Each structure stands twice: as structure tokens, then as C-alpha cells.
């Protein structure tokens, strides 16, 4: 069955960097686009970034353009989100999503940006 396991979240100071990962199993990872979403307390889940199956194309929410980079390693069945110049408003639970059918979600990893 499809499994998505996020890791790498934590507490970081404003202006700092963090890389989170999502390791996938149970499907042919290299055949599907993947996305990162986030959800802050009291807010709706929002799309952060998407990468195509081969990694040749990416797109980002306006709020993270120029600061976040999505990438993937199909040999490791892993998608990454490199987050630079972090702001307190980036604080959220971050989820990866398999873009297949109804969609599949991981359990999330918490990112907290605070001094």
C-alpha cells in the first residue's frame, strides 16, 4: 500500500533554513508528480510546491517563491523541500502528497519558525 513518511521538521529561527523529506513506498514513485502542502493552526491546508514525475518542472505558491525549492531523487523514492529565509508565517504542519487518483497524504512534519 502507499506510504508517505515525512521527516526533518523542527524549530528554526527566523531567517534560518531547513530541509524536509518525504520517503515514499508502495507505488512507482518515478511515475507521479508529488506536492508539498502545509497547514497552520486555524487555517486551511494550502499548496506549497509541486514537482513533475521526472523533476523537470516545478511550481510554487507565491508566498514561498524564491525561498523554497522542491526536488526529488527517484532512485531514493524521496521528495524534498528546501526552505530558506524562513519566516514565522511559515510555521505549519507540512505534508507531502502523491498526486494519483484521490491523492494520498503523509502524516506530516511540524515546522516552527520562532526566535
Amino acid at each position: 500500500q502507499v506510504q508517505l513518511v515525512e521527516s526533518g521538521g523542527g524549530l528554526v529561527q527566523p531567517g534560518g533554513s531547513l530541509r524536509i523529506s518525504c520517503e515514499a513506498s508502495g507505488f512507482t514513485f518515478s511515475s507521479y508528480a508529488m506536492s508539498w502542502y502545509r497547514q497552520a493552526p486555524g487555517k486551511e491546508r494550502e499548496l506549497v510546491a509541486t514537482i513533475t514525475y521526472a523533476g523537470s518542472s516545478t511550481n510554487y505558491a507565491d508566498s514561498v517563491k524564491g525561498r523554497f525549492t522542491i526536488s526529488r531523487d527517484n532512485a531514493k523514492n524521496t521528495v524534498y523541500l528546501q526552505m530558506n529565509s524562513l519566516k514565522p508565517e511559515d510555521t505549519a504542519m507540512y505534508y507531502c502528497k502523491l498526486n494519483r487518483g484521490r491523492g494520498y497524504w503523509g502524516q506530516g512534519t511540524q515546522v516552527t519558525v520562532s526566535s
Side-chain angles (χ1 to χ4, degrees), residues 31-44:
S31 295
Y32 295 96
M34 298 291 295
S35 296
W36 283 100
Y37 283 72
R38 66 185 181 186
Q39 187 168 21
K43 294 189 176 181
E44 293 188 356

Side-chain angles (χ1 to χ4, degrees), residues 27-34 52-54 72 74 98-100:
F27 64 101
T28 305
F29 180 75
S30 58
S31 295
Y32 295 96
M34 298 291 295
T52 53
Y53 66 96
R72 65 190 297 158
N74 285 345
L98 162 62
N99 296 311
R100 185 183 89 179

Side-chain angles (χ1 to χ4, degrees), residues 75-96:
K76 294 183 178 180
N77 286 0
T78 301
V79 59
Y80 305 97
L81 187 67
Q82 176 67 45
M83 303 180 289
N84 298 329
S85 302
L86 281 160
K87 305 175 182 180
E89 52 262 44
D90 294 318
T91 295
M93 186 73 78
Y94 284 72
Y95 299 90
C96 69

